[in-house]
Amino acid sequence: MRLRSTIPGFALAVMLALSGGLRAEDVAEQLSARPPTPVAAQKTDGLRGGTADHTKFQALKGPFETGSDVTKACLACHTEAGEHFMKSIHWTWDYLNPKTGQHLGKHNVVNNFCTNARGNEGMCAQCHAGYGWKDDGFDFKNQNNIDCLVCHDTTATYYRLPNSRGHDACGVMFEGKDPIDLPKVAQHVGLPGRQNCGTCHYNGGGGNGVKHGDLDSTLNAPPKALDVHMSPEGGNFACTKCHVSDKHMVSGSRYDMIARDEKGPGAPGARRDVATCESCHSAKPHHEPSLIGWQLDTHAERIACQTCHIPKIARGGVATMIDWDWSTAGKMIDGKGYALEEYTQGDGKERHTYWTIKGDFKWGENLVPSYQWFDGRMIYTTIDTKIDDTKLPVPINAVQGDAADPRSRIWPFKQMHTRMPWDPKLKSLVYNHLWGKDDTAFWGNFDMVKSVAAGMKLENKPFSGEIGFLPTVSNWPITHMVAPSSDAVKCGECHAEKSRLAGLPGLYMPGHSTVRWLDLIGYAMLAATLAGVVLHGLARIVLGKKTHGEA
């Protein structure tokens, strides 16, 4: 176990280096050096070969005061890219789901990790592909606010920092950053690789592997046993090999998923612009000319490919968070915040099990997913939802689907359990103002009633002045860490008394399920068969003796 102090003494001026507040060269020179990790060549569904050497472009030689200056240089040649990108969810963080009518997107939903990006943009917008979003004054129509480098850097030396200052309690999270050589990065851009996408998607929820369970830094260069598609020993796919982009609109979003793709591949030799297994492998991927191949394809009609081909999650040595208790946040030792590290993950790194600014955590590795019927829709509990606290845990995103619905298939999910703040009088979730240098930010004053009041007032939402802590669960679809076919889930892991799919409604599985009347019929048929065999045998014996005697 390790205990670390997390309060004052850290210079947070570095946070503003790329947000327009400070220049890149103002980043403290004394910060520890860190060697770059180049991104290996990866297969993508985009253009290949390249027709330009960016090191020869005078406009990219700098000097650049800020990241926005690099963007201006990029847009001078890529004249339409800005308009395209500003329509993407990576820019807007806003999405109206056509299936459910819910207004979603990162800026609108409440999650059960750090609770809400809204009102905390100064911190959360590190993962917004733009510069300077710290409040509602951000200009979404200014193309120069786009961050091209976060997706297109190939040097692995570029990084993002918060767009505004926070309290010293959080300073430890931003130590050890090397100054960024903006001209060097600008001259070495390319198509997005796994490491680019992983900058945000590996670290969602507050750290490496925290949120998804099937996305973490081990996928930068995974062994084939971890992911056959992304491994350099296998397909060496970049994320964009499956998440195809058209005018910066990237396919595949958890807000609007395709649970059962019946169209399969497109034209001969081509795949469709959807991030589904079937778009490459077809709806009948088991090509064995045998009863087994036919039976597996029959399974695929109602069972997602991922259910069998991702046997476990968080299996590369990086743990994923499975439980978070916000009710314990704010505890001090001698008036100072602290962190406990009582979990050591597979790669030897210790993970927080308590942190003053966030509360208690639990972690897991090599986890069997949770399985649910899924038709591609999720219904989100939003800030405006009236909560029925007699039905716990409250689903942050309730998976929709039913065994009787032919559009539904059995899908794997990671489930995250969190006790999170809510308003027990108004029966609603709350916005918590976590980040900021002001005296209402929880990551500074550790007064959650005060921070929630500030968060709700900022968004003009009613608040009773009382908070409680509500058990919640969120569901994260599993689509990565695809194992080799030899490691796929075996028949006996489902068709067994202790089945992976135990408890799943509307499902009858030989070897697991028990339906009394059906079992009685089966036993009766078996008994009748045995009786028939015995009677037939006896008849042969009797008739045989009789025939022999007559002879």
Side-chain angles (χ1 to χ4, degrees), residues 35-185:
T37 306
V39 178
Q42 298 167 35
K43 296 176 183 177
T44 175
D45 210 60
L47 300 174
R48 297 173 179 83
T51 59
D53 182 350
H54 288 78
T55 64
K56 296 179 179 179
F57 292 168
Q58 188 63 38
L60 298 181
K61 295 186 183 298
F64 298 115
E65 293 274 322
T66 67
S68 292
D69 293 335
V70 178
T71 299
K72 293 176 186 177
C74 296
L75 295 176
C77 288
H78 300 278
T79 56
E80 308 306 307
E83 290 293 337
H84 294 163
F85 186 72
M86 288 194 298
K87 297 175 183 178
S88 75
I89 196 172
H90 283 99
W91 177 253
T92 64
W93 277 15
D94 188 86
Y95 182 74
L96 184 63
N97 191 307
K99 296 177 182 176
T100 66
Q102 285 194 297
H103 197 184
L104 306 174
K106 192 175 180 70
H107 198 226
N108 300 306
V109 299
V110 177
N111 65 76
N112 64 351
F113 292 88
C114 289
T115 68
N116 50 280
R118 202 176 189 100
N120 297 306
E121 293 90 349
M123 172 65 166
C124 298
Q126 282 182 98
C127 277
H128 177 252
Y131 295 114
W133 187 6
K134 54 187 176 182
D135 53 38
D136 287 341
F138 182 72
D139 186 357
F140 282 90
K141 296 181 180 179
N142 184 352
Q143 295 184 34
N144 295 331
N145 286 337
I146 296 171
D147 182 353
C148 305
L149 300 179
V150 71
C151 295
H152 293 284
D153 166 46
T154 65
T155 69
T157 63
Y158 184 77
Y159 56 84
R160 296 292 305 271
L161 291 169
N163 294 314
S164 64
R165 292 177 183 272
H167 284 274
D168 290 351
C170 303
V172 68
M173 293 188 286
F174 309 107
E175 287 187 307
K177 301 292 187 182
D178 299 332
I180 298 172
D181 185 341
L182 289 175
K184 176 184 175 182
V185 176

Side-chain angles (χ1 to χ4, degrees), residues 256-285:
D256 187 7
M257 295 183 64
I258 299 174
R260 183 180 182 186
D261 184 352
E262 300 179 82
K263 296 182 180 179
R271 52 153 290 137
R272 293 165 42 241
D273 291 348
V274 291
T276 66
C277 302
E278 294 88 346
S279 65
C280 278
H281 295 286
S282 84
K284 296 185 179 298

Side-chain angles (χ1 to χ4, degrees), residues 5-12 167-172 175 332 335-337 437 444 446:
S5 173
T6 63
I7 298 291
F10 303 105
L12 299 188
H167 284 274
D168 290 351
C170 303
V172 68
E175 287 187 307
M332 305 273 198
K336 294 183 178 181
K437 194 67 174 176
F446 302 116

Side-chain angles (χ1 to χ4, degrees), residues 32 47 63 69 71 96 110 157 167 184-185 283 305 331 359 362 405 425 450 456 469 473 483 486 498 536:
S32 60
L47 300 174
D69 293 335
T71 299
L96 184 63
V110 177
T157 63
H167 284 274
K184 176 184 175 182
V185 176
C305 308
K331 293 189 293 188
K362 293 180 182 178
D405 180 3
K425 287 188 175 180
K450 190 174 183 178
M456 298 298 276
F469 292 91
V473 62
S486 58
K498 296 182 179 180
H536 178 74

Side-chain angles (χ1 to χ4, degrees), residues 108 110 381-387 427-429 431 461-462:
N108 300 306
V110 177
T381 299
T382 69
I383 199 74
D384 298 315
T385 303
K386 293 300 178 183
I387 292 172
K427 303 293 184 182
S428 68
L429 297 178
Y431 287 138
K461 297 294 182 181

Side-chain angles (χ1 to χ4, degrees), residues 18 29 38 50 194 218 346 386 473 477:
L18 297 178
E29 294 182 356
R194 293 187 295 273
T218 59
K386 293 300 178 183
V473 62

